[in-house]
Amino acid sequence: MEQDAGTVAARGQVFEEELVASLTDRSLHLILLPTEQCNFRCTYCYEDFSVGRMTAETVRGVKRLLEHRLDDLEQLNISWFGGEPMVARAVVEDVSSFVVEAVADRPHVRYAADMTTNGYLLDAAKAEGLARLGVRSYQISLDGPREIHDTTRRRADGGASFERIWRNLLSLRGSDLDIRVLLRVYLTPANLPAMRAFLPEVRDTFLDDARFSVRLKPVERLGGPHNDEIDVIARDMRADAQEELGALIRMPARSGQQSPKEEACYAARPNSLVIRANGSVAKCTVALTDPSNSIGRLTPEGTLEVDNDRLSPWVRGWASGDWDAVKCPYAGLPRTKDQLLQITPRALARNSK
C-alpha cells in the first residue's frame, strides 16, 4: 500500500508540474507544417496530402505572431512536421533564420527546434546548415531491414527508400554535429520476425553514440485510404513484443540517465499549437483531417482566431485531473459547436485556461 500511495503521490506531483508548464504564457510550442506534401507514400500513412506548400501569407503570419510573443516568452520550441518538411526546406530555413535573428536580440528567450522527417533528404551537410538555425533534434522512421522497409515506406514515385536513408544516418553518425536523432522503428505483424536480426544491427551501428536513441512503435490504424488494409499487432500482444525486442537494443544505462516520466501530450497543452500550411490552426498532427481538430486560423497579421469551444475539449483533462485525457486528448474527444472568437496572440493563454 505504501508503494501504491507513493506512486499516486508521484503521479500527482508530475501532473501539477505538467499543468504549470502547459498553462504558462511564458512558453510557446509551435508545430509548423512547411508543406503537407510528401515524397513518400507509406502504406499506413493517414495523411491525404490535400494541402501543399506553406503560403507566403502563413509564413508572414508565423513571423508576426512570434514578433508579438517573443518579448514575453522565456521558452520557444518549434517542431517541423509535414508532409515531409525537407521537401520545403526553404520555408524551414526562412522561418528559422527569422527566429535565430529575433532571439539573438532577446537573450532571455531559450529557443529549441526539432524535425520529424523520413530522412531521405537529410544528410550531414543539410543537418549542419539546419543546426546553425537551431534545428538540432530529429525523429526518423524505419520499418525494418531493406526488404521490408522498401515495401511499406515507398517513395511517391514507387522507388525504394531504405538505402539512402541508411546512408544519410551513417553520415550523421560520422559527423561531429551537436544533434539528437531518435530512430522510430515501427512494428507490424509482418516485420516482427525480421526485427530480431535488424535491431541488433541498429544497436551496433548507432547506439554506442549518445546522440542516437531508438523507440519501438506499433503501427496504428489512424485513417487514410488504406486504413482497413493495415495489419496491426493485437493490443494484448504489444507490450510483450515491445519488451522482447526492446531487450535487443537496450544499452547499459549512462551515468545520470533517468527513466522517462509520464508526460502530457502536446495536444493537451494550451500553449502548443499546430500551424498548418494553409494557416489553419489545429491541436493534433495525427487528427489532421478530423473537423474537430480545426480550432481556428492564423491571419497574415499574426493574430490567432481561435474557437474556444473547439479548443476546450483538447485541454479538458487539466480541469478534471484526468491523466488519460492529458496523455491523449484525442481519445474520447467530445465534439463541440462552432463559435469563432478572435483573440490576440498575447491573450491566447488567458482565454484557453
Side-chain angles (χ1 to χ4, degrees):
M1 289 296 290
E2 289 184 8
Q3 185 176 4
D4 291 341
T7 300
V8 171
R11 294 187 79 215
Q13 181 179 350
V14 172
F15 185 91
E16 291 297 325
E17 292 171 354
E18 289 282 327
L19 175 63
V20 171
S22 298
L23 295 182
T24 179
D25 58 2
R26 296 292 185 180
S27 177
L28 178 64
H29 178 210
L30 295 180
I31 303 173
L32 304 179
L33 279 60
T35 180
E36 299 188 32
Q37 296 300 304
C38 188
N39 54 343
F40 279 23
R41 288 298 182 271
C42 301
T43 56
Y44 49 79
C45 184
Y46 56 86
E47 297 192 34
D48 62 9
F49 313 112
S50 61
V51 180
R53 189 185 184 94
M54 183 173 279
T55 64
E57 291 79 7
T58 302
V59 171
R60 186 167 75 250
V62 169
K63 293 178 179 179
R64 291 188 175 178
L65 169 63
L66 292 172
E67 285 178 340
H68 295 320
R69 291 296 312 275
L70 275 173
D71 286 338
D72 296 330
L73 290 180
E74 296 176 356
Q75 180 72 48
L76 172 65
N77 294 89
I78 292 182
S79 298
W80 294 100
F81 196 75
E84 168 50 46
M86 290 297 290
V87 171
R89 182 161 57 96
V91 175
V92 176
E93 293 173 341
D94 180 18
V95 174
S96 298
S97 296
F98 171 85
V99 173
V100 168
E101 292 179 11
V103 170
D105 295 331
R106 298 168 174 87
H108 62 281
V109 179
R110 299 184 302 274
Y111 161 58
D114 60 85
M115 179 183 290
T116 298
T117 171
N118 56 40
Y120 191 80
L121 299 175
L122 181 70
D123 56 22
K126 294 185 180 68
E128 182 177 7
L130 290 170
R132 289 194 293 269
L133 299 175
V135 185
R136 297 181 179 273
S137 181
Y138 296 94
Q139 180 172 285
I140 299 172
S141 297
L142 295 169
D143 282 6
R146 176 184 289 103
E147 62 273 14
I148 293 178
H149 177 102
D150 284 342
T151 64
T152 55
R153 297 188 68 79
R154 296 190 294 264
R155 302 200 312 260
D157 62 7
S161 66
F162 181 89
E163 183 176 353
R164 181 162 171 176
I165 295 171
W166 192 262
R167 186 169 67 245
N168 285 344
L169 289 172
L170 290 175
S171 75
L172 296 176
R173 172 71 172 82
S175 75
D176 60 359
L177 294 172
D178 180 17
I179 60 174
R180 296 292 180 270
V181 179
L182 171 63
L183 299 175
R184 185 165 176 149
V185 180
Y186 280 103
L187 305 178
T188 67
N191 72 15
L192 284 179
M195 286 297 176
R196 294 179 175 87
F198 178 66
L199 288 174
E201 182 182 4
V202 171
R203 178 196 63 208
D204 296 342
T205 305
F206 298 108
L207 294 191
D208 61 343
D209 186 329
R211 297 174 298 172
F212 284 78
S213 60
V214 172
R215 179 178 300 161
L216 304 179
K217 173 65 176 172
V219 166
E220 303 271 8
R221 294 190 183 101
L222 299 172
H226 305 292
N227 194 59
D228 294 339
E229 305 166 18
I230 298 172
D231 193 14
V232 300
I233 301 171
R235 290 196 174 275
D236 60 355
M237 298 176 59
R238 292 181 185 184
D240 288 343
Q242 287 175 282
E243 178 62 27
E244 176 190 351
L245 296 176
L248 300 176
I249 55 173
R250 202 161 289 138
M251 302 292 289
R254 300 185 180 97
S255 177
Q257 187 174 3
Q258 297 179 348
S259 300
K261 68 175 185 178
E262 289 186 291
E263 291 185 342
C265 174
Y266 64 87
R269 300 177 185 271
N271 54 14
S272 178
L273 297 170
V274 178
I275 309 296
R276 298 187 61 177
N278 59 6
S280 175
V281 178
K283 289 296 292 174
C284 177
T285 58
V286 172
L288 284 179
T289 59
D290 190 322
S292 66
N293 192 31
S294 179
I295 66 167
R297 70 186 183 93
L298 173 68
T299 73
E301 291 71 37
T303 297
L304 288 163
E305 296 180 342
V306 171
D307 180 340
N308 284 352
D309 283 339
R310 285 181 174 270
L311 173 63
S312 59
W314 290 96
V315 300
R316 69 190 185 279
W318 300 114
S320 64
D322 182 354
W323 249 120
D324 290 335
V326 166
K327 289 193 293 185
C328 183
Y330 188 47
L333 186 75
R335 308 305 175 178
T336 60
K337 63 181 181 180
D338 294 340
Q339 182 182 357
L340 192 65
L341 303 177
Q342 185 176 48
I343 59 177
T344 64
R346 297 190 184 201
L348 174 63
R350 292 193 299 273
N351 278 277
S352 58
K353 289 182 183 179

